[in-house]
Amino acid sequence: MPDPFDLVVRGATVVSPGRQQTADIGIRDGRIAQVGGDVTGLQEVRADGLLALPGGIDAHVHLVYRALAERIRQTEPVWVDDFWTGSLAAIAGGITTVGNMTFPLPGESAREAVAREMAGAAPEAAIDWFLHPVLTDPAAAADGEIAALAADGHPSVKIFLTQPEIAADQPGLLAAAGAARQAGALTLLHCEEADLLERTGQELIARGRGAVANFPDARPVAAEVAAVDQAIDIASATGAPIYIVHLSSAAALHRCRRARAEGLPVHVETRPLYLHLTRERFTEPDAAKYVGAPPLRDETDREALWAGLAAGDVDTVCSDHAPWTLADKLDPALNVITARQGVADLETLMPMLFSEGVVTGRISLDQFVDLTSANAARLFGLYPRKGAIAVGSDADLVLWDPRQRWTVDGARMQSRAGYSVYDGWQVQGRPRFVIGRGQVLLADGELTANPGQGQWLRRGHAQAA
Ligand SMILES: [Zn+2]
């Protein structure tokens, strides 16, 4: 009689690439130890009728640990979820790993910022996490810092092409991307052309059209396409893999598809906003609550992104969870340039994609897993520890009820934002149980997580998704 497992998941339909099978899963020491066959456990979860999926990996979030939020809030509003409430939102939505953007404070290097955030996040996080250092001076970081970050287990850097002085320094960007390539790191790029944004925004304000309702006009598709072209030039000139965050338009996707067809290492992320909403929303009285950059686009863009998910032109769907209270979003002092960007989406990312994608037949269940877990694991150096239900992988599982119908109500969700841009949407599919490294974090819909039980993930080299 073999020793019982620590935990057994019994009766779920296990989803792995190209196949779905009803099998029991044995978990020991936080890892998957057996899939199928006879298993007995000290603890069991009954999962009949549920899908067993790899825990979601949301590689793009903005969580602010408590002490930092308190410090920033002395002078200005800030994103309202820390690593604890962010973890709860993630778990409730089926996500067991997040990648957070780490911004240096004034005068701080990227390495110092990472060290500070590691200390701040550790006692709060209930799910596993990793960090993307944001580079405020890419040219300088090329000289050793990017390599040091990768050696420390942070093989990714984020660069904002919305920063005029950064976007204007193409040699510095080439040096940074080249250094990242050397170090086995991925370069994440926010693609909107800085000069065009500035000019368009100022023109709108000068013509009396500076209200936030005009936000989509202030950040045109042309700005995204120009920056995506710059990003592709960087990949082409250096051979460095790039990852375009929150791609929003058909035209930009077309550029990426063409670059990929030419063999360039261009990876594409989109976010739920662009799959579910269009700029029509900006005609609503509370238009400002839909602000994210790039802005909401047209229906043709929305359709192109769905087609891109189905065709494999998009690698990941990540939330860009950047939650504000509704009052902070709707602050009447804001304009097209100063509007607060970002929405809460950690809890809704997977259910909405399942409901609007898998239930409708736009994408397959395998594609859902690729887009929400496996591809991010590969790109961010975590595969197959994460992103797979396989012997030896971390026991990160979401036991998904594909039939449960529910209505989005941000006031009852975990984010401190207190509302959702999808309030009132009817959704089908939701996590019933969530397991992180063998620990039950959501039990039949009830959160059972504790602060600090998440781990920082030391990452290795990326693999092509
Ligand atoms: Zn972001």
Side-chain angles (χ1 to χ4, degrees):
M1 190 75 187
D3 283 350
F5 294 102
D6 300 334
L7 177 66
V8 165
V9 174
R10 205 173 282 294
T13 300
V14 178
V15 178
S16 40
R19 110 191 182 128
Q20 299 172 18
Q21 53 166 345
T22 301
D24 297 340
I25 302 169
I27 294 164
R28 185 174 285 135
D29 297 331
R31 291 178 183 248
I32 295 171
Q34 188 173 323
V35 181
D38 285 339
V39 292
T40 56
L42 301 172
Q43 190 191 350
E44 296 207 351
V45 171
R46 296 278 348 171
D48 307 73
L50 305 181
L51 303 172
L53 311 171
I57 301 173
D58 185 345
H60 186 165
V61 301
H62 297 276
L63 305 178
V64 186
Y65 63 88
R66 197 169 319 142
L68 178 61
E70 282 165 9
R71 177 170 161 184
I72 298 172
R73 213 167 274 134
Q74 287 172 1
T75 50
E76 58 185 328
V78 64
W79 296 311
V80 292
D81 282 325
D82 54 32
F83 282 77
W84 169 236
T85 56
S87 294
L88 294 179
I91 294 163
I95 288 161
T96 53
T97 300
V98 289
N100 198 58
M101 300 296 164
T102 300
F103 292 87
L105 295 170
E108 208 176 39
S109 72
R111 289 186 85 187
E112 288 163 341
V114 160
R116 174 178 51 71
E117 190 138 284
M118 298 266 291
E124 296 180 353
I127 56 171
D128 290 352
W129 49 282
F130 58 96
L131 303 177
H132 305 289
V134 174
L135 300 184
T136 49
D137 187 346
D143 189 18
E145 189 171 36
I146 292 169
L149 286 163
D152 289 345
H154 311 284
S156 55
V157 290
K158 169 95 178 273
I159 298 173
F160 286 82
L161 296 181
T162 47
Q163 297 286 311
E165 63 287 358
I166 289 177
D169 180 14
Q170 184 75 349
L173 288 166
L174 294 178
R181 180 195 178 193
Q182 285 277 320
L186 188 56
T187 301
L188 281 56
L189 296 167
H190 178 138
C191 291
E192 289 181 285
E193 207 233 8
D195 289 343
L196 186 52
L197 292 185
E198 177 67 15
R199 210 163 57 235
T200 315
Q202 294 297 353
E203 275 171 20
L204 281 169
I205 290 169
R207 285 191 284 129
R209 295 189 63 232
V212 177
N214 299 308
F215 184 78
D217 288 335
R219 304 178 83 103
V221 167
E224 183 175 40
V225 170
V228 164
D229 283 345
Q230 183 177 12
I232 291 170
D233 284 347
I234 292 168
S236 176
T238 60
I242 60 163
Y243 176 96
I244 297 172
V245 296
H246 49 52
L247 188 109
S248 70
S249 67
L253 181 61
H254 177 69
R255 296 296 225 273
C256 294
R257 189 187 303 118
R258 203 171 57 191
R260 288 156 74 107
E262 289 167 9
L264 293 176
V266 173
H267 303 288
V268 176
E269 170 196 287
T270 191
R271 69 172 153 182
L273 278 188
Y274 310 125
L275 298 172
H276 306 307
L277 303 171
T278 62
R279 62 174 293 165
E280 303 286 301
R281 299 281 164 176
F282 279 83
T283 61
E284 294 179 8
D286 290 348
K289 77 180 178 186
Y290 298 106
V291 167
L296 297 180
R297 304 296 197 190
D298 293 328
E299 179 62 18
T300 49
D301 297 296
R302 197 177 76 88
E303 286 164 10
L305 288 172
W306 276 109
L309 300 190
D313 298 330
V314 176
D315 299 291
T316 61
V317 180
C318 296
S319 70
D320 198 4
H321 184 83
W324 305 91
T325 62
L326 192 55
D328 284 343
K329 281 294 262 195
L330 300 183
D331 182 344
L334 301 172
N335 64 31
V336 287
I337 293 178
T338 58
R340 296 200 172 100
Q341 302 169 6
V343 305
D345 224 337
L346 261 168
E347 190 167 342
T348 34
L349 162 69
M350 286 179 70
M352 293 281 291
L353 186 66
F354 184 87
S355 189
E356 297 291 316
V358 180
V359 174
T360 60
R362 282 169 165 147
I363 58 172
S364 69
L365 201 47
D366 277 356
Q367 288 172 321
F368 179 74
V369 170
D370 282 342
L371 291 164
T372 58
S373 185
N375 286 349
R378 291 188 186 96
L379 286 167
F380 294 104
L382 295 168
Y383 195 85
R385 177 178 175 188
K386 306 289 192 189
I389 300 180
V391 171
S393 294
D394 281 358
D396 294 349
L397 298 171
V398 50
L399 304 178
W400 192 272
D401 183 343
R403 280 169 292 274
Q404 188 181 345
R405 291 170 193 275
W406 57 289
T407 302
V408 177
D409 177 5
R412 299 178 57 202
M413 296 198 308
Q414 300 302 319
S415 170
R416 290 196 183 107
Y419 75 101
S420 166
V421 289
Y422 314 113
D423 277 337
W425 282 57
Q426 308 282 315
V427 177
Q428 180 180 333
R430 193 175 205 179
R432 180 89 66 79
F433 294 86
V434 173
I435 296 165
R437 273 181 295 97
Q439 299 164 311
V440 177
L441 305 173
L442 184 81
D444 209 4
E446 297 295 322
L447 287 159
T448 54
N450 293 302
Q453 75 187 113
Q455 285 183 356
W456 170 68
L457 300 170
R458 174 180 291 279
R459 294 180 286 136
H461 286 199
Q463 304 165 27

